Amino acid sequence: MQKEYNFQEIEEKWQSRWEESQPYKVPVENAGKNKAYVLDMFPYPSGSGLHMGHPLGYTGTDIYSRFKRLQGFSVLHPMGFDAFGLPAEQHAIRTGNHPAEFTKQNCEVFKKQLKRLGFSYDWEREIATCDPEYYQWTQWIFLKIYNSWFDEEIQKARPISELPIPADISQAGELAIAKYLDSKRLAYMDYAMVNWCPDLGTVLSNEEVIDGKSEVGSFDVIRKPMRQWLLRITKYSERLINDLVEINWPESIKDQQRNWIGRRYGAEIDFQVKDQDLILTAFTTRPDTLFGVTFFVISPEHPLVSELTTKEQSLAVNEYCQQASKLSDLARTIENREKTGVFTGTHLINPINQQAVPLYIGDYVLMNYGTGAVMGVPAHDERDFEFAKKFAVEIIPVIIPANSEQAQQVLAKNLCWTEPGQMIAIKDPIFEELELSNKSNEIAKATICTWLETQQKGRQVVNYRLRDWLFSRQRYWGEPIPIIHWENGTITGLSDQELPLVLPEVADYKPSADGESPLSKAENWLEVICPKTGMKGRRETNTMPQWAGSCWYYLRFIDPKNSSLPWAKDLEQSWMNVDLYVGGAEHAVLHLLYARFWHKILFDLGFVTTNEPFQRLFNQGMLTSFAYKDSRGALVAIDEVKTTDSGEFIQISTGEKVERITAKMSKSLRNVVTPDEIINEYGADTLRTFLMFMAPLEAQKSWDSQAITGVNRFLKKAYSFIANRGEFVPPAEEDLQVKKSIAGLIQKITLDLENLRFNTPVSSMMEFLNNTSNLKFSKKSAGEFAILLSPYAPHLAEELWCLLGNKDSIVTAKWPSFDPQLLQQEKINIVIQVNGKKRANIEVDVKIDDELLKQMIVENLKDSLHPVSLADRFILVKNPKDGTVKLANIIVN
């Protein structure tokens, strides 16, 4: 009687056994012995449970983790929860229930779903950032940052106790010394422009603001200055850029980090306010255009707005600034957005030609970028050009193209020229003195910078777009900041022995009317008295942002039960750094930048032994699903559409034809497919294998519920191949084709998994079964096939391994090897060209398939001066007689 593939029975059976035996637990003593630290970007546990994007990336890391275990590696593959956050707090405000209860329930749902998917996590290492046992050490790290300063000479953090105190400050007394120390700390308080949401009563990060509205609740958000905690991430700008060469990350992510940090070489130029003893400083990368300045613009948030606005213009300026405060930084700097501004009534003096230029306020200038002030050069900057046309400001060209015909066209049409060129002859004494006429603008840059420094009207500088990290939130559900504000104006951090500072119970979770966090209502917790001096103090009422807990969680996974230290130094040295880190590209900047920043401080202070936390980063692609839109372009929910007999799609309520498109899975479109739905119908192994089979992990994929049936049939066939086979032959009687095929399969899948190519092994296993399942098979080869299958379909593989008579779990098996002689077939020599030029020769099997050939070419050229990737265009020139490849030309963009 034929056995049927009962996935429910098989998966429940093996999940139960794994729960008992804990085969994925990593013994402490295994650390560092041929180790692989494989990490997912851990999830925020929302009330809706896992969405399909979660198991997409998690399956990739699980396959890799299982593969490395089978190769004999000690694999650290943990999971936890990024459990603080605004959604839980808003739920608490709506319901009155403590956010910890809501969060705990969500974590339990997530954990149950993750276990159901068969992921090989070491659950004994589970952490949640909202547990006091965890955030005790987040507070500990904050205090280490607070009690440090940045030594510019050695470009490293040092304990604040090692900061030299100037003699005059030392003589001024303890309060003066305390104030000086506070001005140098890596964690400090200052006024900063923030996204303030009155309805939520809290500061929001830029990512939590969409089109001027809060992501949660869609409430209005305004920009205003508030006294906040900040971390001096800007001190690490150079190291954060330069150290990117040390790590194996996608270049696109590295570029995003470089652009976010925004290193720019230029000059700061001082402009005197006409008839006032005030100076405004503008940063520019184009000092060569200084003679073309015809106006000046400052940010609506600039601290000198009121002083620089005349009485006649004050009403218009105030109205304009109020409107600007309602826009996010992103909205204000969108390309092609119409420029807006208002005249202050004041003029500035151009330092190089003494010409008076009007001063405007414009919302396209951001206070947190540069100096919050720009000099307007409309002839050579597109934004300034648009602004000048809008406000009828003079446009004076000072640089033209070197090509005379092009130069005549630029001048005749009054075009904005932003490219390199040569200086126009200008009748100005300084211009003539500096002999700039007809010089290249690059020479003019250096000449003008030297003149500015000589005249003490400017200086060459390196400027960064990166601003210090705004580190406080007016919320309840976050890590309390372990700081006390004393009545004499001083600030101190708690001692290590006073940690954790646990969140107090509060009557309600709404922020106070004046913008303080809900912690300000916990009076018994809030008010403190120094036992030594009797001085009164108040605890810090702001909490840390959600980013804090995720900045260092990879370190706690190493030693999660340690109650005396955040991690043991020997374990950190053994496990770090993370060998593979997988998550979405949306975390390219903030999470990854913040984690690198904290890690570098910990490295400087001697708490970690690696300069970077994540050695290899891999980004999973977005998962989309089918959706529909009508003739007006409006999206139509998937359950409001039916397919006609002719294959067309119509909206049920109207009968109108609709177009099928792919869109991000969304509840509003009702095109969300949950993991539980698929597991119930097909099983976890089918879902895991299908997620990998759809496309390369890094590619965007479109979910197709019909296509999953093909993968399900493959797993049924794999089950029947062993469960219903009957007898296996001795290895000596096995068909040679089976021996060769299994050897080729081992070679192919090993190479693919090492390079994180998760989709092609599935098709290779399908092809293998199709070609060999009816041949004479040995138990040895069948067992090797089960091992190869196990990273993808671990439940099924365990069952097959058991059916083959093995007593131990397949987790304890060894990754199969193969006899290379079995793959020694007739060889052919292929010429490899890159963009038409010969770069190498490669000898391959005469029957090699095209995909494996491409992989071998990529591998062959990876260390050459002309590396290629599978994303490049391969042109395979074949012999028309036998179809063998004789030449491969790779077109590299």
Side-chain angles (χ1 to χ4, degrees):
M1 181 178 176
Q2 294 284 307
K3 295 181 180 178
E4 295 293 328
Y5 173 44
N6 187 331
F7 65 82
Q8 290 176 327
E9 182 180 300
I10 290 172
E11 290 176 4
E12 288 176 5
K13 168 185 173 182
W14 288 104
Q15 285 171 20
S16 176
R17 292 197 184 181
W18 293 336
E19 194 72 28
E20 294 174 8
S21 62
Q22 296 294 306
Y24 312 121
K25 179 180 176 181
V26 187
V28 171
E29 61 270 17
N30 283 15
K33 297 177 183 177
N34 207 21
K35 67 96 178 176
Y37 188 176
V38 184
L39 186 64
D40 298 297
M41 292 185 186
F42 69 168
Y44 176 79
S46 68
S48 57
L50 291 177
H51 59 71
M52 198 61 82
H54 288 118
L56 178 63
Y58 298 168
T59 301
T61 56
D62 195 62
I63 289 171
Y64 187 75
S65 296
R66 290 177 178 276
F67 167 60
K68 300 310 284 185
R69 281 193 201 93
L70 291 164
Q71 285 189 318
F73 282 73
S74 294
V75 178
L76 177 57
H77 188 40
M79 175 52 70
F81 301 102
D82 194 8
F84 276 127
L86 189 56
E89 179 148 332
Q90 289 300 298
H91 177 81
I93 291 172
R94 290 192 303 270
T95 64
N97 296 326
H98 197 288
E101 299 173 7
F102 178 67
T103 302
K104 183 180 180 181
Q105 292 170 4
N106 294 344
C107 289
E108 289 173 352
V109 170
F110 266 58
K111 185 175 179 179
K112 182 179 179 181
Q113 290 179 302
L114 291 169
K115 285 188 172 183
R116 200 176 176 205
L117 279 155
F119 294 136
S120 58
Y121 296 125
D122 181 355
W123 282 109
E124 289 196 3
R125 295 174 182 266
E126 178 188 356
I127 59 176
T129 57
C130 65
D131 288 340
E133 292 80 4
Y134 180 86
Y135 71 70
Q136 167 183 358
W137 302 111
T138 308
Q139 293 170 337
W140 180 88
I141 295 173
F142 173 83
L143 289 170
K144 296 301 177 239
I145 298 172
Y146 172 73
N147 287 315
S148 300
W149 64 289
F150 192 79
D151 189 328
E152 299 284 356
E153 289 188 11
I154 62 173
Q155 287 288 295
K156 286 187 176 182
R158 293 173 59 187
I160 199 74
S161 59
E162 298 176 5
L163 176 67
I165 307 297
D168 59 329
I169 292 174
S170 184
Q171 293 168 5
E174 291 186 8
L175 288 178
I177 293 173
K179 186 176 181 181
Y180 181 75
L181 292 174
D182 288 344
S183 71
K184 300 294 182 181
R185 295 181 188 275
L186 286 177
Y188 66 101
M189 292 198 78
D190 199 0
Y191 281 96
M193 293 303 302
V194 299
N195 299 312
W196 174 252
C197 180
D199 290 278
L200 295 177
T202 188
V203 169
L204 300 175
S205 66
N206 288 333
E207 297 69 40
E208 294 168 327
V209 180
I210 301 173
D211 296 330
K213 303 280 188 180
S214 62
E215 183 179 24
V216 175
S218 194
F219 299 116
D220 288 334
V221 176
I222 62 173
R223 297 279 291 169
K224 74 172 187 175
M226 289 183 66
R227 190 164 172 79
Q228 301 284 299
W229 279 97
L230 296 103
L231 304 186
R232 296 188 199 274
I233 190 173
T234 51
K235 294 294 184 182
Y236 283 81
S237 296
E238 281 294 305
R239 283 172 61 183
L240 288 168
I241 290 176
N242 296 338
D243 293 349
L244 286 169
V245 300
E246 298 180 8
I247 47 183
N248 180 11
W249 286 19
E251 278 304 314
S252 60
I253 302 297
K254 291 184 178 182
D255 284 342
Q256 285 186 62
Q257 293 216 349
R258 293 186 187 104
N259 294 336
W260 187 265
I261 298 168
R263 180 171 59 193
R264 302 185 302 170
Y265 299 94
E268 288 182 347
I269 304 176
D270 297 331
F271 285 71
Q272 178 77 43
V273 180
K274 186 178 180 182
D275 301 327
Q276 292 189 50
D277 189 21
L278 283 174
I279 286 178
L280 286 178
T281 301
F283 171 81
T284 179
T285 59
R286 298 294 305 274
D288 50 317
T289 64
L290 186 55
F291 284 96
V293 173
T294 57
F295 65 97
F296 201 96
V297 187
I298 60 174
S299 166
E301 299 86 14
H302 198 285
L304 295 178
V305 165
S306 59
E307 293 183 57
L308 294 168
T309 302
T310 63
K311 184 177 179 181
E312 294 77 13
Q313 290 295 108
S314 61
L315 180 60
V317 166
N318 288 338
E319 289 180 353
Y320 182 80
C321 291
Q322 286 180 6
Q323 289 298 318
S325 72
K326 299 176 182 179
L327 298 174
S328 67
D329 288 354
L330 180 63
R332 286 165 55 172
T333 54
I334 292 174
E335 285 189 34
N336 302 321
R337 175 176 174 262
E338 184 181 357
K339 297 296 177 287
T340 66
V342 61
F343 180 45
T344 64
T346 300
H347 289 75
L348 307 184
I349 304 300
N350 187 331
I352 205 162
N353 60 15
Q354 301 304 303
Q355 295 294 312
V357 297
L359 173 65
Y360 289 84
I361 295 170
D363 62 12
Y364 74 93
V365 179
L366 303 179
M367 191 63 224
N368 60 359
Y369 193 47
T371 62
V374 299
M375 59 186 210
V377 190
H380 306 294
D381 182 277
E382 292 287 357
R383 295 185 312 168
D384 296 345
F385 184 71
E386 294 170 15
F387 191 93
K389 289 195 297 181
K390 173 80 176 287
F391 293 94
V393 178
E394 186 179 9
I395 299 174
I396 300 177
V398 294
I399 301 167
I400 55 174
N403 180 285
S404 58
E405 184 177 334
Q406 196 176 15
Q408 289 177 7
Q409 187 179 21
V410 167
L411 292 173
K413 296 184 178 181
N414 200 25
L415 301 177
C416 177
W417 179 256
T418 60
E419 302 299 319
Q422 64 184 33
M423 305 297 289
I424 302 173
I426 297 175
K427 290 184 178 180
D428 180 273
I430 302 298
F431 190 92
E432 292 171 356
E433 176 189 328
L434 297 177
E435 299 180 346
L436 296 175
S437 183
N438 297 321
K439 293 285 180 66
S440 79
N441 70 297
E442 290 300 322
I443 292 175
K445 280 184 185 180
T447 303
I448 290 173
C449 279
T450 300
W451 182 87
L452 288 167
E453 290 182 334
T454 302
Q455 300 296 316
Q456 296 185 341
K457 295 181 177 180
R459 62 226 130 256
Q460 295 187 65
V461 296
V462 179
N463 186 276
Y464 302 92
R465 179 179 181 270
L466 184 66
R467 299 293 93 185
D468 279 345
W469 178 6
L470 186 67
F471 194 71
S472 48
R473 299 289 187 269
Q474 293 66 44
R475 302 176 187 167
Y476 174 80
W477 194 232
E479 298 92 340
I481 297 176
I483 292 290
I484 298 176
H485 302 265
W486 299 103
E487 59 184 345
N488 67 349
T490 59
I491 301 173
T492 60
L494 299 185
S495 66
D496 291 354
Q497 292 70 36
E498 294 174 287
L499 302 179
L501 175 60
V502 179
L503 284 167
E505 295 295 327
V506 294
D508 65 80
Y509 305 100
K510 293 181 181 178
S512 61
D514 58 2
E516 279 205 83
S517 88
L519 295 183
S520 64
K521 304 173 186 177
E523 295 184 3
N524 292 336
W525 177 89
L526 185 65
E527 307 292 341
V528 295
I529 296 177
C530 178
K532 294 181 179 179
T533 66
M535 188 185 304
K536 294 180 179 179
R538 283 168 55 92
R539 298 192 188 279
E540 174 62 57
T541 58
N542 287 334
T543 51
M544 300 184 197
Q546 187 176 352
W547 306 106
S550 62
C551 272
W552 72 282
Y553 73 110
Y554 57 92
L555 290 166
R556 188 61 177 173
F557 276 137
I558 290 171
D559 196 9
K561 306 299 182 184
N562 196 329
S563 59
S564 57
L565 291 169
W567 56 83
K569 194 163 186 176
D570 61 329
L571 293 179
E572 181 277 327
Q573 192 168 6
S574 297
W575 281 112
M576 286 300 292
N577 45 18
V578 175
D579 296 288
L580 176 64
Y581 194 31
V582 175
E586 66 271 16
H587 300 292
V589 176
L590 296 182
H591 160 60
L592 291 172
L593 201 64
Y594 293 156
R596 293 181 65 217
F597 167 50
W598 274 35
H599 195 85
K600 289 182 184 299
I601 295 176
L602 294 170
F603 177 68
D604 291 352
L605 298 177
F607 294 113
V608 297
T609 55
T610 63
N611 185 39
E612 289 282 341
F614 314 119
Q615 183 58 36
R616 186 181 188 184
L617 177 71
F618 192 91
N619 295 128
Q620 68 192 62
M622 182 185 295
L623 186 62
T624 61
S625 181
F626 288 133
Y628 301 87
K629 65 178 181 180
D630 60 22
S631 58
R632 298 174 298 281
L635 292 169
V636 179
I638 193 168
D639 57 356
E640 294 178 7
V641 175
K642 71 175 183 179
T643 307
T644 65
D645 294 338
S646 59
E648 294 179 326
F649 308 105
I650 62 170
Q651 188 170 356
I652 297 171
S653 59
T654 64
E656 178 189 357
K657 289 183 182 178
V658 293
E659 177 187 356
R660 186 163 78 172
I661 61 171
T662 55
K664 187 176 180 179
M665 287 189 178
S666 163
K667 290 181 181 178
S668 63
L669 294 177
R670 296 192 278 281
N671 67 344
V672 172
V673 180
T674 67
D676 286 346
E677 293 176 57
I678 302 303
I679 293 173
N680 289 338
E681 187 171 357
Y682 296 103
D685 283 343
T686 295
L687 174 58
R688 291 167 56 107
T689 307
F690 179 64
L691 285 170
M692 296 299 98
F693 180 61
M694 292 166 70
L697 183 58
E698 67 272 22
Q700 178 174 309
K701 309 163 192 62
S702 182
W703 180 266
D704 184 352
S705 295
Q706 294 180 336
I708 198 171
T709 57
V711 169
N712 187 246
R713 284 195 300 271
F714 159 64
L715 294 186
K716 287 179 178 178
K717 186 172 184 178
Y719 176 78
S720 182
F721 161 64
I722 290 175
N724 296 313
R725 185 167 193 86
E727 294 186 1
F728 290 94
V729 300
E733 298 177 18
E734 186 175 52
D735 280 339
L736 181 60
Q737 184 180 340
V738 173
K739 295 180 186 290
K740 289 183 175 183
S741 295
I742 195 71
L745 188 64
I746 295 168
Q747 181 191 50
K748 172 77 164 55
I749 293 180
T750 303
L751 182 63
D752 281 346
L753 294 188
E754 289 288 5
N755 290 281
L756 307 183
R757 294 190 291 264
F758 298 115
N759 59 318
T760 50
V762 181
S763 55
S764 298
M765 287 186 282
M766 290 176 172
E767 184 179 355
F768 171 80
L769 277 189
N770 288 336
N771 294 338
T772 63
S773 58
N774 293 324
L775 301 177
K776 293 178 182 178
F777 235 101
S778 69
K779 270 192 178 182
K780 177 178 178 294
S781 293
E784 289 173 340
F785 174 77
I787 294 171
L788 296 176
L789 177 66
S790 66
Y792 289 83
H795 310 87
L796 173 59
E798 286 276 25
E799 185 71 11
L800 298 179
W801 188 248
C802 182
L803 289 172
L804 288 168
N806 296 289
K807 301 300 182 184
D808 296 329
S809 167
I810 200 169
V811 175
T812 64
K814 290 184 179 180
W815 190 255
S817 58
F818 61 91
D819 181 357
Q821 292 188 350
L822 288 171
L823 302 178
Q824 288 182 356
Q825 302 172 5
E826 183 183 346
K827 302 289 184 178
I828 54 173
N829 191 277
I830 297 176
V831 176
I832 303 174
Q833 295 180 345
V834 178
N835 291 340
K837 295 185 178 180
K838 182 178 177 181
R839 298 304 181 194
N841 287 77
I842 185 172
E843 190 176 68
V844 299
D845 295 336
V846 68
K847 295 182 179 179
I848 190 171
D849 67 73
D850 292 352
E851 292 304 314
L852 182 57
L853 173 60
K854 292 176 184 179
Q855 293 174 24
M856 293 182 69
I857 292 172
V858 170
E859 186 72 17
N860 184 275
L861 294 179
K862 71 176 183 180
D863 296 322
S864 74
L865 294 175
H866 308 279
V868 299
S869 76
L870 292 173
D872 294 323
R873 182 185 172 201
F874 282 71
I875 300 174
L876 303 181
V877 180
K878 298 187 177 184
N879 189 321
K881 293 182 178 180
D882 58 13
T884 58
V885 178
K886 57 182 181 180
L887 181 146
N889 184 26
I890 301 93
I891 307 300
V892 179
N893 189 356

